[in-house]
Amino acid sequence: NLQMPNRIKTLLKSNKVAKVFNCGQFLSHKMVEILGLHGGYDGVFIDQEHIPSILQRDIEIAAVAAKSCGMDTFVRRPAIDYASAMAPLEAGAGGVLFSMIRD
């Protein structure tokens, strides 16, 4: 297990800025690694709500690349069922964002 301390949460608790980048339509583990090592970023945001073509395998590889650089990873999911909601966490992402939550 490559679980690491939550870098973003630690920075925010210390009143520091956390730099996060969004991969957008181009999710590449190499890009994640390069930005993590040389871009000064603390995390990567993967948006599956607006880009549903991002595959589970892509999230897994990006999460490993991010963790190897000490970055957090979180995924924004579309409105879906419980099992699908848990898939990014099982792939190694450190968090999940949900949109359109209603009572």
Side-chain angles (χ1 to χ4, degrees):
N1 186 358
L2 293 173
Q3 195 65 21
M4 301 176 95
N6 190 319
R7 184 172 175 174
I8 294 171
K9 190 181 286 186
T10 301
L11 287 168
L12 295 176
K13 282 183 180 179
S14 301
N15 291 323
K16 296 182 179 174
V17 174
K19 291 175 55 179
V20 177
F21 69 92
N22 181 354
C23 291
Q25 294 181 350
F26 181 68
L27 177 59
S28 162
H29 66 284
K30 288 295 184 187
M31 181 182 69
V32 170
E33 187 176 13
I34 289 167
L35 290 172
L37 291 173
H38 304 290
Y41 288 94
D42 303 300
V44 58
F45 168 65
I46 301 168
D47 188 356
Q48 272 193 307
E49 180 188 16
H50 298 107
I51 307 163
S53 61
I54 295 174
L55 303 175
Q56 180 76 6
R57 175 193 74 228
D58 299 327
I59 295 171
E60 291 172 4
I61 295 169
V64 170
K67 287 178 184 178
S68 73
C69 300
M71 290 191 302
D72 293 334
T73 308
F74 55 99
V75 179
R76 183 177 188 179
R77 298 285 293 183
I80 44 177
D81 61 85
Y82 176 81
S84 297
M86 293 303 295
L89 297 174
E90 293 169 355
V96 180
L97 289 146
F98 295 96
S99 61
M100 307 290 187
I101 306 251
R102 295 182 177 97
D103 292 337

